Amino acid sequence: MGGSFPTNPDFKSGFVTLVGRPNAGKSTLLNAIMGKKIAITSNTAQTTRHRFRAVHTTDDVQMIIVDTPGLHKPQDALGEELNTSAIKALEDVDVVAMLIDASKPIGRGDEWVAAQVRAAKGSAKICVLSKTDLASDAEISAQREAAEKLCDWDAMVALSAETGRNVDAFVEEVQFLLPEGPAWFPADMETDQPLEVMVAEFIREKILRNFFDEVPHAIGVAVEEMEFEKPNLYRIYAVIYVERDSQKGIIIGKRGAAIKRIGTEARKDLELLLGAKVFLDLSVKVRKNWRRDANQIRRFGYGEGA
């Protein structure tokens, strides 16, 4: 890939992993740092299924930010694969940032994540109290006190990725902790995520936001074909996989209303992402119990085996 590299002799660079329980706000923080949507977000646990890297470059620093699936007690092979992926992302990075929701009391899940963070050798450790827009000053203060006991932190930042409050302060803390080093990626590169994967994820996000209960977890999305037609059109053919016929009916909806809504919402985001008009063709197929099949999980590109 082309693109220029920064030339500042005091330039700093390194890898930063974001970890935490599901819904701690990792993907929202990543998007806030990047100033644009790269990672999908929703209120559904396990929204993030890919471990991927976003690249934030200024004249002084290049942060390679690793977003990870939320660490949780796995219920199936998919959950186990996602946990493996998140824990592996703690290896050989310069900074580990653990996100803790400031609006909810610290629980056993947070303590378990903190144990993984403590075990990460050679990394600086930052505690991020996230979602401060949902918490009172007293709650934030109590959370800070509780969080201090979880690990020997190098820094602690309370922020709201939703409002942007203190996101710059987090970036400054990371920059301070990163070593001097070269830019690993061109300045104009924003992610190492393949375009087809990002497209599939943007489609899956709309399903997560439109449906609740069990259906979202049973969803896998694969881009079958993607071609650019000059002057300004992408043709994208994608398949939404579910585990049961009843789920297929829910996703399609009465007279196709639900899948049409998903397509319309996804197309708006995809046109912003791709900077072009998008023709999006969605179909739905049943692949029974795919979340219990490690090979199928990897075929979708989820988890460590992708």
Side-chain angles (χ1 to χ4, degrees):
M1 183 172 179
S4 61
F5 287 83
T7 54
N8 180 348
D10 301 319
F11 195 76
K12 293 179 126 189
S13 64
F15 290 77
V16 186
T17 290
L18 307 181
V19 294
R21 293 175 65 196
N23 281 334
K26 298 178 292 296
S27 298
T28 308
L29 176 57
L30 185 149
N31 289 338
I33 293 167
M34 296 301 295
K36 69 187 293 188
K37 181 174 177 170
I38 286 181
I40 69 169
T41 61
S42 85
N43 290 326
T44 304
Q46 291 185 23
T47 296
T48 300
R49 288 179 176 171
H50 293 269
R51 190 182 85 201
F52 77 98
R53 295 177 294 207
V55 184
H56 174 69
T57 307
T58 68
D59 291 340
D60 302 312
V61 67
Q62 183 171 85
M63 290 169 51
I64 300 103
I65 309 159
V66 186
D67 191 20
T68 62
L71 284 161
H72 62 290
K73 187 176 181 180
Q75 304 293 325
D76 50 35
L78 174 61
E80 289 171 8
E81 196 74 32
L82 297 181
N83 266 10
T84 300
S85 178
I87 291 170
K88 205 164 176 59
L90 297 174
E91 297 172 5
D92 300 323
V93 294
D94 300 286
V95 177
V96 174
M98 178 180 167
L99 275 73
I100 298 173
D101 185 338
S103 68
K104 293 176 182 171
I106 287 173
R108 285 166 61 185
D110 293 301
E111 290 167 3
W112 186 80
V113 175
Q116 312 306 311
V117 171
R118 288 196 303 271
K121 304 297 181 198
S123 303
K125 317 263 190 312
I126 299 180
C127 179
V128 177
L129 302 179
S130 63
K131 304 189 182 184
T132 57
D133 55 307
L134 303 178
S136 67
D137 288 346
E139 285 173 322
I140 294 167
S141 179
Q143 197 76 317
R144 185 185 295 274
E145 203 171 300
E148 280 172 354
K149 298 170 185 170
L150 292 175
C151 184
D152 185 13
W153 305 108
D154 293 285
M156 188 177 285
V157 181
L159 58 76
S160 168
E162 200 64 48
T163 66
R165 177 192 170 203
N166 271 354
V167 171
D168 286 348
F170 171 71
V171 172
E172 285 172 16
E173 289 288 6
V174 172
Q175 182 172 340
F176 177 76
L177 293 168
L178 286 178
E180 287 189 7
W184 299 100
F185 298 100
D188 60 354
M189 182 172 173
E190 293 177 326
T191 178
D192 69 349
Q193 187 87 302
L195 202 51
E196 287 83 357
V197 170
M198 292 184 75
V199 168
E201 287 292 88
F202 275 39
I203 295 166
R204 190 168 65 86
E205 179 192 60
K206 301 311 171 193
I207 300 167
L208 294 177
R209 287 172 174 264
N210 275 283
F211 299 98
F212 301 98
D213 302 324
E214 199 200 334
V215 173
H217 294 302
I219 296 295
V221 180
V223 172
E224 302 281 294
E225 194 178 335
M226 182 168 158
E227 52 192 43
F228 182 67
E229 283 186 13
K230 291 181 179 177
N232 191 33
L233 175 69
Y234 275 94
R235 288 189 179 275
I236 299 169
Y237 298 84
V239 179
I240 300 166
Y241 288 95
V242 294
E243 292 186 316
R244 296 199 298 273
D245 289 321
S246 60
Q247 294 165 344
K248 180 177 179 179
I250 292 169
I251 296 298
I252 292 172
K254 194 173 181 181
R255 295 185 184 142
I259 197 166
K260 184 177 180 184
R261 186 169 68 246
I262 293 163
T264 300
E265 291 177 9
R267 195 174 66 247
K268 287 177 186 172
D269 268 6
L270 291 173
E271 288 181 343
L272 284 173
L273 175 73
L274 299 169
K277 292 287 182 189
V278 168
F279 167 82
L280 179 60
D281 181 275
L282 296 177
S283 57
V284 187
K285 293 182 180 177
V286 177
R287 190 156 282 171
K288 293 193 187 304
N289 297 322
W290 68 261
R291 283 178 294 169
R292 301 187 183 282
D293 180 349
N295 288 330
Q296 188 58 55
I297 291 164
R298 289 165 186 174
R299 208 167 289 136
F300 281 131
Y302 304 145
E304 200 48 41

